[in-house]
Amino acid sequence: MKRPGDFRIVNHSVPRADGVAKVTGRAMYTSDIELDGMTWAKVLRSPFAHARIVSIDTAAARQSPGVLDVITGTDLASLRPYYGHAVKDHPILAIDKVRFIGEPVAAVVAEDDLSAEEALQLIEVEYEELPSVMEVDASLAPEAPLIHDEAYTEGAFRGFKDGRQASGNVCQYVKVKWGDAAAAFASAAHVVENEFHFPMAYAYAMEAYVAIADYSKKGLTVYSSAQHPFMVRHDLADIFDLPLNAVRMIIPYVGGGYGSKSYTKIEPIAAVCSWRTGRPVKLRLSIDEAFLTTRGDDARVRIRTACDAEGKFLARQATIHLNTGAYAENSPLVCAKAANRIIGPYLIPNVDIDCYAVYTNTVPASSYRGFGSTQVTFPAESQNEELADLIGVDPFEFRMRNLAQRGEVIYPGLRPIDADVPGDLRQIESKFEEWGAVQEGRGRAVGCSASDAGSHPVTSAMIHVYSDGSVSVLSGATEIGQGSHTVLAQIAAEEMGVPMSKVRVVGGDTAITPFERSTGASRTTTLMGRAVLEACREAIAQLMSFAAEALGVAQSALIEECGGVRHGDTQWSWGEVIEKHFKHKDTSIIGRAYLRQTGDLKLMPPFWEIGVVGTEISVDQETGKIRLERLMTVGDVGLAINPAAAEGQDLGAATMGIGVGLFEELIYDGQQLTNGSLLEYRVPRFSDLAPDIHMTLAQNQDGSGPYGAKGGGEGSLNPIPACLANALYRATGARVRRLPLTPERVWRALQERPKV
Amino acid sequence: MTVEFQLNGEPVSVAIEPRHTLAEVLTRKLRLTGTKVSCEAEVCGACTVLVDGLPVSSCTYLAYEARGKNVVTIEGLEDKNGNLHPLQQSFIDEFAFQCGFCTSGMILSAKALLDENPNPTDAEIIDHLDGNICRCTGYLPILKAVRTAATAMENYS
């Protein structure tokens, strides 16, 4: 395998392929696109958390100037009006009842957006209010009203069963168990047991959800800000009973994803609007509406951890409750991942985890960067720190005693750890030593996480190699800002022996690119990157045989050189080989690769995403305000295809961890979301930037991706909230088990802390 | 009604309604889509354009208010030969964007700063850009890009 230093283009921070487009404003996002004859849709939303729809009178709205149609759930009877890749519980527009404040009840289509907006006010809906459940405990109570009272079909992609056998409002239940945790706790030297709360968070992708649908006899074309166009294609094909080749998803540039644009969101509403009116329809939500569309799962975690007198883990038991909101979306998978990821990169011989995703009458929760790990790494790493103190060893030493070495199995049946986590931790330790003694009023902490990442390894890629030496990569991975189009071009340029300027990545169109399951779980570099590499190798294998045929020699007599082939004094570029093969100009060949769960990808997950971070904070004792002073991340990415882009992912991820760790939280007052706007929902700003930041990359080429690469982009988020809470404890002696660490919460903890 | 103003150095005359925001007129009527609208509440800074050299949130600034003024959008930053402005180049060089949705506003905000203060300290850059949210990068690459551009512009002039 090529090593760092051997590469021409890979492992170099080459400028982003989308650079000029994005700094000049020429990059077109779905928000920017307008089609000929395009109309606009606006959505009427439920004012009740839980109510039966008695009647909807659309007559006045229909008469409003410019209005083409008003659509409600009852108009969708000839379609399959429920969707959901895990559980098909989600109606396109509310049918019979509403389940959260903000749920789409009706859509108006008009010639312009203002006419559509004005007509919304003319729709008369009569509701009969039902008792609502806003929190997990209320939802699980025996007398709780059922949020979903009809049977669903299973979604297509996950094989999840309807989870409601366990209790009426349980969407999904997952158990993870090995060893004998009860016995281990009974004989343990040290046990800690606590309850932790992780907040309801909003991803705030700066481009709100937007879709433009165009339904005609030829089929359905949808422009969308979706991360997973092929998953959305499935839902749309199912809703309208169309063949896959009649549904075309086009994904222009996307203004932020972070998981919040994974799977189907508003595309079905736009699609039914176009289906009814026969016109292209644009549905562009405001950010305030995006707050009412998807959020991250908040969590309550009751957790016990035991270790022996030497500080070796004996057991972990946890009961995790996720507040999943009104619809399943991707929370069944968040549930499964939270249960897995509470282990961390440690060897724990006895484990017993129960994880419940629970329906409530709140905004539906789904994927959000970190995906279950952030929720459970906070309790796990908080508790690990408490155990270290009980044993009386420093936090690094305690973790070192328990970390899995490369090749050790942390989770029976899953891939052994494919990283040098102790080595990553030592990098933080030496940085802490370099920083010297901690100043008064400050605290320092380290944190680790391990996520079974990559999702299901089904990926395909295609390349065209042209006779003029240029190369096109056809990839179904979505460029959401993570830099995938740059990284994939680097891999193709490296393999085909051409400069970056000769490579173009063609993506974002399901009619053109082969299938890619999804763009999430930090998978693109690992899986799509590997597919692109294999497609290049497959093209080169063809080119070698064409060259042998043209030269009339055995293939074994040829030497593959950078960008072409040599035989004695004869040297041909790949372009020349193609032209000689076809005896024609402007010709091209196709290389392709399919990945599936087989060979070295048989064992799940495709890779472990490791998070190892260190933080130093200062705490204002008067106000409780925390400031991040120093940050170090170790991006354990196997090999960074583009080091600057990889570090950019790490800092971006860590910054989201700072947000949810220090100030981000969606707050319900009764049935009403009280801070569903950017005026009241506080995300990290420029002035939150830590004065001292170090980012390093661990490049041990130990991943299943190209050249030993593996994914990044979430790892540096997952341990941050725990790290901040542990640093607060180090700084002040105050242990806070509820995020975010707002000044008020910290101030109260400072008042209540035990006097030393 | 019709409003007239200077847009990226050229006079424009455009029919508007009194309720139209400058962002609506720029992106929908004039189809200069480089201006991005996100929060619609003057919090995020994505829609920042320059009016008489000062940054404004075009999502809430009425187009009517721009009459007779000099408006600069991201489309107006390249020179006549199509060369990138030093800020545009430094944003590419420093990886100061990912999704790019905040970038137009971020660059224009930074331009307003550098036009007024060619050698800002880090604290001045951070203070000036505190009204521009970036959800992707964690801000450090943007800080570096503004520093780099400041140096480049100094050498250039």
Side-chain angles (χ1 to χ4, degrees):
Chain A
M1 194 184 336
K2 280 187 181 174
R3 298 287 169 201
D6 299 343
F7 297 103
R8 284 184 314 116
I9 292 167
V10 157
N11 204 223
H12 293 277
S13 296
V14 306
R16 291 180 60 112
D18 51 4
V20 173
K22 285 182 176 174
V23 302
T24 56
R26 288 201 278 274
M28 290 292 276
Y29 299 72
T30 307
S31 316
D32 302 323
I33 291 172
E34 296 189 0
L35 303 181
D36 286 344
M38 192 180 84
T39 62
W40 293 78
K42 291 284 175 184
V43 171
L44 182 74
R45 294 174 183 278
S46 167
F48 292 107
H50 198 193
R52 195 153 297 287
I53 298 171
V54 178
S55 63
I56 305 180
D57 182 353
T58 61
R62 287 174 186 284
Q63 299 307 313
S64 189
V67 169
L68 298 167
D69 201 357
V70 182
I71 303 157
T72 69
T74 53
D75 297 320
L76 310 178
S78 66
L79 306 174
R80 290 194 196 104
Y82 289 89
Y83 66 93
H85 63 284
V87 181
K88 286 197 179 195
D89 63 355
H90 209 148
I92 298 167
L93 295 164
I95 295 173
D96 300 334
K97 71 176 193 172
V98 289
R99 296 180 176 86
F100 68 98
I101 291 179
E103 176 161 7
V105 173
V108 174
V109 188
E111 294 289 351
D112 62 281
D113 46 345
L114 189 70
S115 300
E117 185 89 48
E118 282 174 347
L120 288 181
Q121 295 157 31
L122 303 174
I123 302 173
E124 300 275 349
V125 186
E126 190 187 337
Y127 295 96
E128 176 193 318
E129 209 176 343
L130 298 167
S132 60
V133 284
M134 305 306 293
E135 288 168 349
V136 161
D137 281 340
S139 182
L140 293 177
E143 70 281 7
L146 277 183
I147 295 172
H148 293 273
D149 35 26
E150 55 291 278
Y152 307 130
T153 12
E154 233 175 274
F157 288 104
R158 284 288 169 198
F160 285 113
K161 300 277 179 273
D162 189 341
R164 290 171 298 164
Q165 301 93 318
S167 154
N169 286 324
V170 172
C171 167
Q172 186 73 25
Y173 166 64
V174 172
K175 189 166 188 70
V176 171
K177 189 174 179 357
W178 62 79
D180 184 346
F185 276 109
S187 63
H190 301 281
V191 177
V192 286
E193 178 167 4
N194 318 99
E195 183 174 304
F196 293 83
H197 295 262
F198 187 89
M200 197 181 272
Y202 169 60
Y204 185 41
M206 292 186 74
E207 183 187 33
Y209 299 104
V210 54
I212 305 168
D214 188 4
Y215 192 101
S216 72
K217 285 198 182 79
K218 285 186 253 170
L220 171 63
T221 298
V222 178
Y223 294 76
S224 163
S225 54
Q227 285 180 232
H228 303 351
F230 292 89
M231 299 287 112
V232 180
R233 181 181 70 175
H234 169 85
D235 280 336
L236 293 173
D238 184 65
I239 288 165
F240 294 100
D241 199 19
L242 289 169
L244 291 177
N245 67 0
V247 180
R248 180 180 185 185
M249 293 293 302
I250 298 176
I251 314 296
Y253 284 112
V254 178
Y258 326 111
S260 72
K261 293 174 181 168
S262 64
Y263 299 100
T264 301
K265 302 293 179 204
I266 64 167
E267 296 85 357
I269 300 178
V272 297
C273 288
S274 180
W275 168 71
R276 286 268 296 199
T277 58
R279 299 271 296 273
V281 179
K282 184 169 188 174
L283 174 59
R284 182 186 182 181
L285 302 193
S286 66
I287 288 293
D288 292 7
E289 288 180 289
F291 270 95
L292 298 173
T293 302
T294 312
R295 61 176 177 85
D297 288 79
D298 48 315
R300 179 185 64 204
V301 182
R302 293 181 174 133
I303 176 171
R304 287 201 294 164
T305 309
C307 67
D308 66 16
E310 281 73 50
K312 290 279 274 185
F313 283 132
L314 292 174
R316 172 160 291 159
Q317 187 273 322
T319 305
I320 305 164
H321 283 102
L322 302 174
N323 175 359
T324 287
Y327 294 102
E329 295 237 350
N330 206 27
S331 282
L333 192 68
V334 176
C335 181
K337 293 297 180 186
N340 291 353
R341 293 171 177 185
I342 201 165
I343 313 301
Y346 303 106
L347 298 169
I348 307 182
N350 302 287
V351 162
D352 189 355
I353 312 294
D354 296 287
C355 190
Y356 300 84
V358 182
Y359 285 126
T360 62
N361 294 114
T362 59
V363 171
S366 192
S367 321
Y368 179 33
R369 200 174 195 169
F371 206 91
S373 174
T374 331
Q375 286 93 331
V376 297
T377 302
F378 167 54
E381 281 289 77
S382 294
Q383 215 159 58
N384 296 348
E385 197 89 351
E386 290 182 62
L387 278 171
D389 284 358
L390 275 179
I391 310 297
V393 297
D394 89 16
F396 286 100
E397 175 56 26
F398 181 83
R399 286 176 173 81
M400 285 296 183
R401 287 180 193 180
N402 289 293
L403 280 177
Q405 305 289 325
R406 185 198 310 285
E408 285 189 303
V409 173
I410 59 167
Y411 190 114
L414 294 190
R415 181 179 296 272
I417 286 291
D418 51 359
D420 175 19
V421 192
D424 298 342
L425 199 68
R426 275 192 289 275
Q427 295 212 48
I428 303 279
E429 193 174 17
S430 31
K431 184 58 72 181
F432 279 16
E433 282 163 14
E434 196 186 306
W435 286 345
V438 185
Q439 286 175 38
E440 180 68 26
R442 290 192 175 195
R444 238 177 241 170
V446 63
C448 307
S449 65
S451 296
D452 43 336
S455 189
H456 204 72
V458 177
T459 294
S460 41
M462 199 161 118
I463 68 160
H464 294 300
V465 187
Y466 297 94
S467 56
D468 65 354
S470 62
V471 175
S472 288
V473 176
L474 274 59
S475 154
T478 304
E479 172 61 85
I480 52 174
Q482 82 282 43
S484 60
H485 277 24
T486 308
V487 161
L488 299 175
Q490 284 179 265
I491 294 166
E494 183 77 36
E495 289 304 312
M496 299 312 299
V498 295
M500 279 292 278
S501 58
K502 290 262 190 188
V503 181
R504 175 168 296 201
V505 176
V506 179
D509 189 337
T510 61
I512 295 175
T513 76
F515 183 82
E516 163 64 325
R517 189 198 171 282
S518 47
T519 298
S522 306
R523 72 189 254 130
T524 300
T525 298
T526 310
L527 296 174
M528 184 55 76
R530 176 168 158 165
V532 168
L533 186 149
E534 290 184 9
C536 291
R537 298 311 308 173
E538 205 252 358
I540 287 171
Q542 296 176 52
L543 292 164
M544 290 295 279
S545 84
F546 296 165
E549 185 193 314
L551 286 160
V553 300
Q555 208 173 306
S556 56
L558 302 180
I559 298 166
E560 183 196 333
E561 284 190 336
C562 180
V565 65
R566 187 164 63 82
H567 179 254
D569 292 337
T570 310
Q571 227 173 339
W572 288 344
S573 69
W574 297 134
E576 287 172 293
V577 174
I578 292 166
E579 201 170 307
K580 287 179 195 306
H581 181 72
F582 291 106
K583 300 185 176 63
H584 200 287
K585 285 214 173 296
D586 296 352
T587 41
S588 63
I589 67 145
I590 298 165
R592 89 277 189 278
Y594 311 120
L595 302 186
R596 57 200 179 104
Q597 199 188 343
T598 182
D600 71 318
L601 292 173
K602 186 157 182 62
L603 212 49
M604 291 291 275
F607 61 96
W608 286 96
E609 184 169 2
I610 301 299
V612 178
V613 302
T615 59
E616 181 177 312
I617 63 165
S618 60
V619 185
D620 185 325
Q621 304 277 332
E622 298 287 312
T623 63
K625 186 175 191 294
I626 292 176
R627 178 172 171 73
L628 182 67
E629 302 287 349
R630 286 171 154 158
L631 169 70
M632 180 172 177
T633 61
V634 181
D636 194 329
V637 295
L639 183 97
I641 306 299
N642 187 314
E647 288 181 354
Q649 284 295 301
D650 283 343
L651 182 58
T655 304
M656 287 192 142
I658 293 157
V660 82
L662 297 185
F663 26 73
E664 287 187 42
E665 181 175 26
L666 292 170
I667 298 167
Y668 269 88
D669 181 6
Q671 300 182 340
Q672 188 69 47
L673 180 63
T674 60
N675 61 340
S677 112
L678 215 62
L679 285 168
E680 294 131 323
Y681 186 86
R682 160 86 156 88
V683 299
R685 293 198 301 255
F686 225 119
S687 52
D688 297 309
L689 176 66
D692 191 4
I693 294 175
H694 296 269
M695 288 173 285
T696 54
L697 297 168
Q699 303 195 69
N700 300 317
Q701 295 188 274
D702 42 13
S704 57
Y707 322 108
K710 56 193 168 180
E714 295 178 90
S716 292
L717 159 60
N718 299 330
I720 290 276
C723 224
L724 295 168
N726 286 336
L728 172 64
Y729 179 77
R730 296 289 165 210
T732 66
R735 170 61 64 189
V736 180
R737 298 190 179 88
R738 184 186 287 268
L739 297 176
L741 302 171
T742 57
E744 181 185 341
R745 190 166 284 148
V746 171
W747 184 85
R748 287 185 191 284
L750 293 176
Q751 309 314 306
E752 288 160 12
R753 81 193 127 162
K755 298 282 176 279
V756 184
Chain B
M1 68 176 72
T2 299
V3 290
E4 295 178 357
F5 55 94
Q6 291 284 312
L7 177 58
N8 298 327
E10 303 288 334
V12 290
S13 173
V14 56
I16 64 159
E17 289 174 36
R19 64 178 173 81
H20 277 143
T21 65
L22 183 54
E24 285 172 322
V25 170
L26 292 170
T27 63
R28 301 277 302 282
K29 288 198 167 285
L30 301 170
R31 293 300 282 150
L32 292 183
T33 57
T35 300
K36 300 297 177 225
V37 172
S38 180
C39 77
E40 297 180 89
E42 297 183 45
V43 178
C44 75
C47 65
T48 302
V49 300
L50 303 183
V51 177
D52 286 348
L54 294 176
V56 303
S57 293
S58 64
C59 71
T60 43
Y61 186 92
L62 290 175
Y64 176 74
E65 295 292 335
R67 68 196 188 285
K69 293 184 176 159
N70 185 10
V71 176
V72 173
T73 69
I74 193 70
E75 288 89 351
L77 253 59
E78 290 153 275
D79 70 15
K80 287 195 177 65
N81 301 319
N83 298 312
L84 296 180
H85 185 277
L87 272 163
Q88 292 174 309
Q89 188 60 50
S90 69
F91 267 61
I92 294 174
D93 294 343
E94 300 290 350
F95 287 73
F97 58 86
Q98 288 175 25
C99 83
F101 212 72
C102 74
T103 308
S104 300
M106 198 69 84
I107 287 176
L108 288 166
S109 254
K111 181 177 187 298
L113 171 69
L114 296 184
D115 286 348
E116 185 186 298
N117 177 0
N119 290 298
T121 63
D122 282 1
E124 286 169 335
I125 296 170
I126 289 168
D127 186 54
H128 183 86
L129 293 178
D130 210 26
N132 287 78
I133 290 170
C134 170
R135 194 60 158 158
C136 293
T137 64
Y139 300 106
L140 181 61
I142 298 173
L143 177 66
K144 290 179 177 173
V146 179
R147 279 185 202 147
T148 306
T151 309
M153 287 165 77
E154 197 174 42
N155 294 340
Y156 184 75
S157 56

